[in-house]
Amino acid sequence: MSRVLRFAVAAFALLAAGVVIVAPVHAQSRFDVSGVVSDSAGTVRGAMVVALTRPDSVLTTFATTGGDGTFTLRRLPVGEYILQVTLVGYQPFREDFSVTDKNVDVGTISLSAMAYMLDPLVVSADHIPFINKRDTLDYNARAFETRPNALVEDLLR
């Protein structure tokens, strides 16, 4: 075998060995983040859980909570993140976390209900006394005060 061919075979063998060694290490550099979302009444179903990169708030991955309030953000690379949990009717939740060398359990996240004080509602009934329909006037008898058992003539006066 020529010297160049032996060098090429040796280089290829080293490269293949490097891929075999590096591939498992690279595959282990992604981890899962899990937890439970709850409120004062128990677990919360259907909340949106998002991992944003810390420096620029770019969406990395997301999940929704299941029927038991649990979530798992799968295969996050090592780095610094913001965990954001949102659901209509609740205050948004944000917290920083880091993924280093193992799966992360953020524990139980408690959402606070978003409450608004509304002004009292007043319902009133206004009676329109009459409606003009081209060549006819339609009178609404309820819009006029009359005595009980009054005659139509009394209403029209």
Side-chain angles (χ1 to χ4, degrees):
M1 218 194 268
S2 76
R3 192 175 200 182
V4 174
L5 185 59
R6 274 187 280 168
F7 178 75
V9 169
F12 179 73
L14 283 174
L15 180 64
V19 169
V20 170
I21 292 170
V22 172
V25 171
H26 180 69
Q28 294 298 322
S29 64
R30 294 185 177 261
F31 302 96
D32 293 345
V33 176
S34 60
V36 178
V37 178
S38 68
D39 65 0
S40 59
T43 57
V44 175
R45 179 177 187 210
M48 177 64 71
V49 182
V50 177
L52 307 168
T53 56
R54 194 173 303 161
D56 51 7
S57 297
V58 173
L59 174 70
T60 304
T61 187
F62 67 93
T64 56
T65 57
D68 56 355
T70 61
F71 68 89
T72 302
L73 300 172
R74 302 211 181 271
R75 300 185 38 79
L76 272 170
V78 172
E80 303 291 317
Y81 297 95
I82 301 167
L83 181 69
Q84 178 176 296
V85 182
T86 55
L87 183 64
V88 174
Y90 292 91
Q91 295 283 344
F93 173 87
R94 290 175 66 102
E95 182 178 271
D96 294 344
F97 72 99
S98 300
V99 175
T100 53
D101 60 349
K102 61 182 177 180
N103 291 337
V104 177
D105 183 3
V106 295
T108 301
I109 297 167
S110 183
L111 295 182
S112 300
M114 190 181 305
Y116 293 103
M117 185 61 106
L118 299 176
D119 292 333
L121 178 66
V122 177
V123 178
S124 63
D126 290 333
H127 295 291
I128 300 171
F130 58 88
I131 298 171
N132 188 359
K133 292 186 178 178
R134 293 190 183 202
D135 62 345
T136 308
L137 285 177
D138 283 348
Y139 287 92
N140 181 357
R142 292 184 186 147
F144 300 95
E145 279 191 43
T146 58
R147 305 179 311 220
N149 300 322
L151 300 175
V152 174
E153 291 86 22
D154 296 333
L155 174 67
L156 294 175
R157 273 189 241 146

